[in-house]
């Protein structure tokens, strides 16, 4: 158990709690969290997860900017929560599958990554979910739940038990986030 894994876990839980509440501070806390996990995943040779952390830094910055730009009252985002249309969901699924296969192939071909295809799948799902969460799309919570369940299995194989605890808690918080955001859901469809 690494100190950075523990710190990243604590920051991750705070990030989720703030995100559920649509508090703009979720984004800088998220950036600190992913920096911690970049080191954890590098050490565990989970290179898709490592790349995910770098992408998350950019996506966290984008989310922070977007929530500020689309309206806020104090630290509370006032942008409406939205839902994807069925056609858009299908397009996201196709894109995620293609990204997972491409990333898995790259990791299998060019690195010594452990579990390259399995690790690439929740990575691709998480990237899509993070983008959609920055745009306050409720479907992002469901995507995070699916990704978290896959990650939990991977981290069990790698012995990252504190991280497993984070992802179990994250899954429960994602359910809570879905319910909380559903209460404020606008009728707009992306």
């Amino acid at each position: 158990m690494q100190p950075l894994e523990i710190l990243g876990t604590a920051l991750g839980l705070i990030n989720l709690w703030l995100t559920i509440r649509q508090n703009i501070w979720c984004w800088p806390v998220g950036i600190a969290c992913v920096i911690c996990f970049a080191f954890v995943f590098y050490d565990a040779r989970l290179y898709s997860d490592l790349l995910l952390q770098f992408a998350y830094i950019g996506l966290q910055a984008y989310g922070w900017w977007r929530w500020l730009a689309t309206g806020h009252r104090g630290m509370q985002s006032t942008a409406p929560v939205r839902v994807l249309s069925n056609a858009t969901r299908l397009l996201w699924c196709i894109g995620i599958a293609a990204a997972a296969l491409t990333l898995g192939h790259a990791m299998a071909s060019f690195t010594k990554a452990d579990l390259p295809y399995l690790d690439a799948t929740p990575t691709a799902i998480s990237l899509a979910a993070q983008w959609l969460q920055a745009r306050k799309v409720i479907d992002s919570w469901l995507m995070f739940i699916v990704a978290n369940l896959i990650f939990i299995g991977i981290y069990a194989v790698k012995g990252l038990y504190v991280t497993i605890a984070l992802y179990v808690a994250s899954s429960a918080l994602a359910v809570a986030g879905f319910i909380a955001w559903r209460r404020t859901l606008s009728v707009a469809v992306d």
Side-chain angles (χ1 to χ4, degrees):
M1 194 173 355
Q2 300 178 10
L4 280 177
E5 186 181 8
I6 295 167
L7 177 60
T9 298
L11 290 170
L13 293 172
I14 294 167
N15 167 262
L16 285 168
W17 181 77
L18 291 169
T19 304
I20 290 168
R21 283 154 184 73
Q22 301 178 42
N23 185 302
I24 291 170
W25 280 101
C26 69
W27 302 108
V29 171
I31 290 169
C33 171
V34 298
I35 290 170
C36 292
F37 277 105
F39 289 100
V40 170
F41 295 137
Y42 175 78
D43 188 53
R45 291 184 26 216
L46 291 171
Y47 300 133
S48 289
D49 286 347
L50 173 63
L51 289 175
L52 178 63
Q53 302 315 300
F54 289 117
Y56 270 166
I57 291 171
L59 288 169
Q60 293 282 338
Y62 169 71
W64 195 1
W65 169 81
R66 177 136 174 104
W67 281 25
L68 285 171
T70 56
H72 59 93
R73 195 172 309 114
M75 291 296 113
Q76 189 75 20
S77 171
T78 58
V81 175
R82 304 170 71 78
V83 64
L84 294 177
S85 68
N86 288 334
T88 304
R89 274 190 201 109
L90 177 61
L91 290 174
W92 275 102
C93 288
I94 292 167
I96 289 167
L101 288 172
T102 301
L103 180 59
H105 178 72
M107 290 296 157
S109 299
F110 303 114
T111 74
K112 294 181 181 180
D114 289 346
L115 312 168
Y117 287 97
L118 183 60
D119 192 30
T121 300
T123 297
I125 296 168
S126 295
L127 285 170
Q130 190 66 58
W131 175 264
L132 292 172
Q133 195 161 74
R135 301 182 66 77
K136 292 188 77 174
V137 175
I138 195 168
D139 303 70
S140 63
W141 290 110
L142 301 174
M143 294 166 80
F144 274 126
I145 292 167
V146 171
N148 288 348
L149 293 175
I150 299 168
F151 277 135
I152 288 167
I154 293 168
Y155 301 151
V157 170
K158 298 303 289 181
L160 297 172
Y161 300 113
V162 174
T163 305
I164 290 171
L166 170 63
Y167 279 75
V168 168
S170 294
S171 297
L173 287 170
V175 170
F178 178 81
I179 292 167
W181 281 26
R182 187 176 172 130
R183 287 187 198 119
T184 63
L185 183 65
S186 75
V187 293
V189 176
D190 280 347

